[in-house]
Amino acid sequence: MDSLLQQDVRIPVQSRYGSSELDGHLLLPAVEPHAVLTIHPATATPERFYFAFAEAAAARGFAVLTYGFRGVGDRAAARTHRHIRMRDWISEDVAAAGTWAEERFPDLAHTALGHSVGGHALLLGYGGGRLRGIVTIATAMVAARDIAPRSERFRVEVGLGVFGRVVTRLLGYMPGSRVGLGEDIPAAALYEWTNWLRRPHFFFDDPSFDAEARASRLRTPVLSVGTSDDPWATEAFIDALTDRLRLAPVTRRTFTPAELGTELIDHHGLLRRSIAEAAWPEILDWLEAKAATDIR
């Protein structure tokens, strides 16, 4: 949109591997923004995928921050950050983006949207201390053994869990761009992700990760959005995750393909303009209402 201003940004990350940076963009509306929206990505999903939704949010008066996780992109990036685990995206990248947004806009209300693992990070409280509302898209507690149909379960258990790990060990990174996963990702992220998928309660069953305690402390209102045709984030899988939120008020919304006039939405469709633009006003209305809420 010609009336919007996009700025390149570099977001500092304090990591267990030393200082690093995230590449991102800040999209500003034509008028003074009334609130901030930070968009946290899904696994193997490039930052540019979120530009369309960011434009829609900026047109509604949000200053919108988008970025990409470390190691997601081409094989050079994945190899450079080969030690980055999924938990590092959650606890370091998401936290760094949230901190950057709060420091850049100290006087505005802050909201966040997380897609899949980006939503996991927000529900575990890593998105910042000033959030007034959190939207999660296709964020669920997934166990590979419970995925249906059987063909999709086979693709996860064998394609990712066996073949994916072997290929990753041979190449030193996960070649997502060549196996239909999305973008290339670091080896350590693939190993941890598939390890969590093998557990009945995903990362809640990982004793080295304090997910249960963190989720139970979250108080920020949550709009948890899914679709009726997503095998990775079914209504039951999403409910299993939001049930862990003991203190946060949760609103659930499930879109159907018929409702949006399409044949398929799946795991990424709600962020695609061509598929789900009709769903965006409802999501943005909710974010605007939460941004306007006085939490002091």
Side-chain angles (χ1 to χ4, degrees):
M1 296 183 181
D2 294 339
S3 60
L4 304 178
L5 175 63
Q6 187 181 71
Q7 301 175 354
D8 295 344
V9 298
R10 303 283 287 179
I11 301 168
V13 181
Q14 296 304 314
S15 173
R16 65 195 182 106
Y17 294 113
S19 298
S20 186
E21 288 184 319
L22 306 175
D23 292 321
H25 292 86
L26 179 64
L27 193 62
L28 297 171
V31 298
E32 284 296 313
H34 64 77
V36 181
L37 173 64
T38 302
I39 299 178
H40 304 280
T43 301
T45 305
E47 179 199 6
R48 64 183 179 275
F49 178 76
Y50 301 98
F51 285 170
F53 187 88
E55 288 179 355
R60 294 278 289 260
F62 286 89
V64 187
L65 175 64
T66 60
Y67 70 97
F69 287 143
R70 286 172 295 165
V72 175
D74 58 24
R75 62 181 179 182
R79 283 173 168 167
T80 297
H81 296 286
R82 62 188 180 280
H83 298 302
I84 297 295
R85 303 164 296 177
M86 188 164 273
R87 74 180 64 199
D88 299 321
W89 288 339
I90 290 172
S91 64
E92 296 178 354
D93 293 26
V94 168
T99 297
W100 188 95
E102 290 181 352
E103 291 177 350
R104 175 65 174 79
F105 298 99
D107 300 321
L108 293 181
H110 285 260
T111 63
L113 182 148
H115 182 200
S116 198
V117 71
H120 287 137
L122 293 175
L123 299 186
L124 296 180
Y126 287 107
R130 296 179 51 203
L131 292 178
R132 298 191 184 186
I134 291 170
V135 172
T136 62
I137 304 289
T139 298
M141 189 174 75
V142 184
R145 68 182 189 182
D146 296 328
I147 290 176
R150 183 177 298 177
S151 59
E152 184 66 15
R153 182 165 67 250
F154 180 85
R155 191 170 77 91
V156 173
E157 292 181 328
V158 179
L160 276 180
V162 179
F163 176 75
R165 291 175 72 97
V166 170
V167 170
T168 297
R169 191 169 300 279
L170 290 172
L171 298 180
Y173 71 101
M174 174 59 186
S177 60
R178 286 192 266 170
V179 298
L181 178 63
E183 301 289 298
D184 299 341
I185 65 173
L190 184 280
Y191 296 148
E192 182 161 67
W193 185 25
T194 53
N195 181 42
W196 286 346
L197 284 169
R198 291 171 175 167
R199 298 170 183 265
H201 304 104
F202 201 53
F203 49 46
F204 290 106
D205 284 340
D206 186 340
S208 69
F209 198 54
D210 60 343
E212 190 79 48
R214 295 194 67 93
S216 67
R217 292 196 296 265
L218 185 77
R219 294 178 177 270
T220 308
V222 174
L223 172 62
S224 181
V225 183
T227 73
S228 62
D229 64 344
D230 183 352
W232 284 75
T234 65
E235 291 186 65
F237 291 174
I238 293 175
D239 290 341
L241 176 59
T242 56
D243 285 349
R244 305 283 178 135
L245 305 177
R246 310 300 185 195
L247 302 176
V250 177
T251 301
R252 284 279 288 107
R253 178 68 162 99
T254 301
F255 288 94
T256 67
E259 184 179 2
L260 299 182
T262 186
E263 294 184 358
L264 181 68
I265 306 174
D266 208 12
H267 196 65
H268 279 72
L270 282 176
L271 279 307
R272 295 186 191 276
R273 189 191 300 277
S274 60
I275 293 177
E277 187 174 18
W280 295 356
E282 183 176 333
I283 295 170
L284 291 169
D285 285 347
W286 188 91
L287 285 166
E288 284 188 331
K290 296 308 174 186
T293 303
D294 190 349
I295 60 173
R296 290 175 297 177

